[in-house]
Amino acid sequence: MKKVEAIIKPFKLEDVKEALSEVGVEGMTVVEVKGFGRQKGHTEIYRGSEYTVDFLPKVKIEVVVDDSRSDAVVDAIVKAANTGKIGDGKVFVSAVLDAIRIRTGERGADAVSSS
């Protein structure tokens, strides 16, 4: 199994969600996060004072899928989240050693498939 984590721009969440649904992803975890990469931050003026916003709002999506589906999931995320501009985000793929469905005690791939 693989865990696919994507950090994307918040306004692309619906596009990514639809793209994942089209490739058969039935569940995901979504978290609102803040961070920066090469994009750094930006300066804003508030009540006449200029200040720097270091951390930009992003959305983190986590999906655990069978190894055979990870490339399709990554491709769907990259295609749906791409705007061609700096700050589009990143996708990370890591191995998942085990998963346990709490309700039934199922382990491994059975724990992350629909039932």
Side-chain angles (χ1 to χ4, degrees):
M1 292 177 295
K2 297 278 198 277
K3 180 177 182 181
V4 180
E5 296 176 85
I7 311 291
I8 63 169
K9 292 181 175 181
F11 72 89
K12 295 301 267 176
L13 178 59
E14 277 304 311
D15 293 342
V16 171
K17 184 177 141 195
E18 288 174 19
L20 289 173
S21 180
E22 288 173 13
V23 296
V25 172
E26 296 171 335
M28 67 186 75
T29 301
V30 177
V31 183
E32 292 179 5
V33 297
K34 292 182 180 188
F36 67 89
R38 263 192 267 170
Q39 186 181 13
K40 301 288 189 263
H42 60 279
T43 53
E44 291 185 1
I45 297 175
Y46 180 71
R47 293 189 179 180
S49 298
E50 186 175 293
Y51 66 99
T52 302
V53 177
D54 291 326
F55 295 100
L56 300 171
K58 301 287 182 179
V59 172
K60 179 179 179 181
I61 300 168
E62 298 179 353
V63 180
V64 177
V65 295
D66 192 59
D67 289 350
S68 63
R69 297 177 56 208
S70 64
D71 287 341
V73 168
V74 169
D75 292 344
I77 293 170
V78 169
K79 185 176 177 187
N82 185 15
T83 67
K85 297 190 171 108
I86 193 166
D88 274 351
K90 296 260 188 315
V91 178
F92 305 97
V93 180
S94 54
V96 173
L97 300 177
D98 201 4
I100 298 96
R101 186 185 307 254
I102 294 173
R103 178 176 52 89
T104 62
E106 292 171 292
R107 298 184 78 103
D110 290 340
V112 295
S113 65
S114 64
S115 303

